[in-house]
Amino acid sequence: MKRIGVLTSGGDAPGMNAAVRAVVRKAIYQGVEVYGIYQGYQGLITGQIEKMEVGSVGDIIHRGGTMLRSARCQEFVTKEGQLKGIQQLKALGIEGLIVIGGDGSYRGAKALTELGFPCIGVPGTIDNDIPGTDFTIGFDTALNTVIDAIDKIRDTASSHERTFVVEVMGRNAGDLALWAGLSGGAETILIPEDPFDMDSIKDRLLKGHERGKRHSIIIVAEGVMSGNEFAKKLEEETQFDTRVSVLGHMQRGGSPTAVDRMLASRLGARAVELLIEGKGGRTVGIEKNQLVDYDISEALAMPHQLDLDIYRLSKELSI
Ligand code: F6P
């Protein structure tokens, strides 16, 4: 393989730039040319493609967002859109593609591979919900952003003796809520994977109150319900003075942590190696700190598992 492409797709995640840098530099180091595709699959269809040099990815390892920009592209869900993309790649003599993104991006990569164009999926999303890896690029940074917010909210919650509901991202996966809740010392964590019981939440809050606790932090993953909706229900049940903080898209920004830069560098470089080895249609990931790769269809068929031990522990420590 002498010429490859790289794109970022779906919701951006801190560390995507570090992954793009790793792809570009590793490929050039191996004597392979690299083309950057701007604006994800949208740019692939419209041909927003440029050759990348070593210097094209200078000064980006520490930057949030993605220099290649990103998009959610409906047209690429269709076979017609996918064939247009392949046409653009072939016109430039590109023989393989590295896709950095989440679940939807993997589906695009799978479709292209099935149409005969080899792709490698690199997990980039703050949600940490991609099968075939213990961690996704961006999760650690987003987690630290949420923790920082919780710590600040705790200060004002404590001064005013209030209950705070903090809504974090995660439509289908509760990883961010769970990890942030445990490491931020939240009283209650609501995740999409486990239906909540208002009575037990109420009991827990009241018990805490009885033993002198003056404030509480409740983390709600957006996939459960909106923070405002939950706070309204809670206030009706408890009459506690409740406030809501919806963290929103700030969770997707910011300079990536060292952990995310390391992960991105390792996974990006491994993706290039796989293409050079002639192995298309795979995903890269990290398990027990070892790099792994899976067939992309098999990976997509694996359910994402929330770490139940961590979930149990969060309940044990927030009594
Ligand atoms: O997939 C990442 C993510 O940030 C989710 O946590 C969130 O539900 C979604 O993207 C938001 O997407 P958008 O930026 O398109 O509103």
Side-chain angles (χ1 to χ4, degrees):
M1 196 161 290
K2 283 283 155 232
R3 198 172 281 177
I4 64 171
V6 57
L7 62 79
T8 51
S9 158
D12 63 349
M16 277 185 165
N17 276 328
V20 172
R21 173 182 179 270
V23 168
V24 171
R25 297 251 166 115
K26 175 75 176 183
I28 293 174
Y29 180 81
Q30 299 283 356
V32 173
E33 286 183 3
V34 200
Y35 282 71
I37 294 127
Y38 290 85
Q39 229 189 325
Y41 290 124
Q42 187 61 51
L44 180 57
I45 291 175
T46 55
Q48 298 180 59
I49 307 175
E50 267 173 28
K51 187 159 185 262
M52 315 277 290
E53 307 295 347
V54 171
S56 315
V57 289
D59 204 25
I60 63 165
I61 195 166
H62 60 300
R63 294 189 198 282
T66 160
M67 56 104 55
L68 289 178
R69 304 195 300 276
S70 193
R72 300 191 193 275
C73 175
Q74 274 315 308
E75 193 183 348
F76 205 74
V77 176
T78 66
K79 190 166 173 192
E80 214 188 0
Q82 293 154 9
L83 289 172
K84 275 190 205 164
I86 292 180
Q87 231 171 23
Q88 296 282 8
L89 292 166
K90 287 197 169 157
L92 290 166
I94 297 170
E95 300 164 280
L97 178 66
I98 294 174
V99 172
I100 305 164
D103 191 66
S105 315
Y106 272 31
R107 287 184 199 285
K110 174 176 172 269
L112 290 183
T113 303
E114 284 168 357
L115 289 168
F117 199 91
C119 293
I120 305 289
V122 176
T125 166
I126 65 162
D127 292 345
N128 207 43
D129 62 346
I130 304 298
T133 189
D134 290 343
F135 294 105
T136 58
I137 298 163
F139 176 64
D140 186 66
T141 308
L143 178 59
N144 280 286
T145 299
V146 176
I147 293 301
D148 186 46
I150 293 175
D151 290 350
K152 287 174 176 152
I153 286 167
R154 182 182 290 282
D155 289 344
T156 177
S158 155
S159 307
H160 288 266
E161 303 191 359
R162 280 171 173 159
T163 297
F164 262 85
V165 174
V166 182
E167 182 193 307
V168 304
M169 278 186 165
R171 275 192 287 234
N172 306 308
D175 290 53
L176 194 54
L178 175 58
W179 285 61
L182 179 56
S183 43
E187 274 66 37
T188 300
I189 304 167
L190 305 187
I191 54 173
E193 291 88 341
D194 189 26
F196 71 89
D197 169 30
M198 189 52 108
D199 285 340
S200 73
I201 294 174
K202 207 170 84 182
D203 279 359
R204 179 190 291 256
L205 288 178
L206 290 171
K207 268 193 205 130
H209 219 68
E210 276 161 20
R211 69 175 166 79
K213 235 176 156 318
R214 306 207 178 283
H215 68 272
S216 303
I217 309 259
I218 299 173
I219 308 293
V220 181
E222 64 178 334
V224 175
M225 66 171 62
S226 81
N228 283 305
E229 208 181 327
F230 179 76
K232 199 163 162 257
K233 283 184 195 292
L234 188 71
E235 262 192 333
E236 280 164 14
E237 298 273 346
T238 62
Q239 276 84 50
F240 284 164
D241 190 16
T242 305
R243 294 290 186 277
V244 183
S245 257
V246 179
L247 300 188
H249 284 78
M250 67 175 286
Q251 294 163 94
R252 290 231 298 254
S255 177
T257 59
V259 169
D260 273 331
R261 296 181 201 191
M262 282 292 292
L263 183 63
S265 302
R266 293 175 75 190
L267 295 182
R270 181 66 190 131
V272 174
E273 281 173 0
L274 285 172
L275 279 183
I276 292 173
E277 289 164 16
K279 295 181 189 154
R282 301 202 66 80
T283 65
V284 289
I286 191 158
E287 287 176 352
K288 299 190 172 74
N289 203 27
Q290 298 298 313
L291 295 179
V292 292
D293 56 274
Y294 289 97
D295 176 84
I296 197 161
S297 305
E298 282 170 22
L300 278 168
M302 296 183 217
H304 167 66
Q305 302 278 11
L306 184 89
D307 192 325
L308 291 175
D309 287 339
I310 294 181
Y311 190 44
R312 266 190 295 272
L313 181 63
S314 76
K315 287 184 183 289
E316 288 167 9
L317 300 190
S318 60
I319 44 174

